[in-house]
């Protein structure tokens, strides 16, 4: 799939799969509204997820704190989709806009 054709749901699915793989849980069991830390993801796991989503979404040089500013699959997928479509992404610390 061309990354410019990715929908928000596509980004969310890719992100959920990456997080689930790092967390060692099936993607279907991942609650997308739960913080990454609830799945035991540490900074090294966040780095691995970040590299995977950069590749999958055609992004580069993601802000280091993006996963911490958007700590759930729901909030991060929206932020990534906005970046892919050059929409400014407001920083949050609680996963809400």
């Amino acid at each position: 799939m061309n990354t410019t054709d990715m929908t928000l749901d596509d980004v969310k699915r890719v992100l959920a799969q990456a997080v689930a793989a790092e967390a060692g849980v099936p993607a279907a069991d991942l609650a997308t509204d739960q913080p990454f830390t609830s799945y035991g993801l540490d900074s090294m796991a966040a780095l691995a997820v970040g590299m995977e989503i950069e590749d999958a979404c055609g992004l580069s040089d993601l802000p280091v704190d993006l996963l911490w500013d958007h700590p759930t699959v729901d909030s991060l997928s929206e932020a990534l989709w906005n970046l892919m479509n050059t929409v400014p992404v407001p920083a949050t610390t609680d996963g809400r806009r």
Side-chain angles (χ1 to χ4, degrees):
M1 172 182 298
N2 184 334
T3 57
T4 59
D5 295 334
M6 290 180 79
T7 66
L8 178 58
D9 287 339
D10 294 332
V11 174
K12 188 174 184 177
R13 186 181 69 257
V14 167
L15 179 57
Q17 290 170 343
V19 170
E22 282 298 317
V25 300
D29 293 346
L30 191 80
T32 60
D33 62 344
Q34 293 300 306
F36 300 129
T37 54
S38 69
Y39 290 100
L41 269 62
D42 59 13
S43 58
M44 292 304 291
L47 179 61
V49 168
M51 292 184 335
E52 187 166 337
I53 58 178
E54 279 183 343
D55 291 342
C57 296
L59 297 168
S60 61
D61 300 324
L62 290 175
V64 175
D65 56 354
L66 188 66
L67 273 77
W68 304 120
D69 287 344
H70 304 279
T72 68
V73 169
D74 290 338
S75 65
L76 183 57
S77 58
E78 186 174 339
L80 291 168
W81 190 86
N82 287 338
L83 284 172
M84 292 169 62
N85 292 282
T86 62
V87 175
V89 178
T92 65
T93 56
D94 63 0
R96 292 181 284 180
R97 301 190 116 216

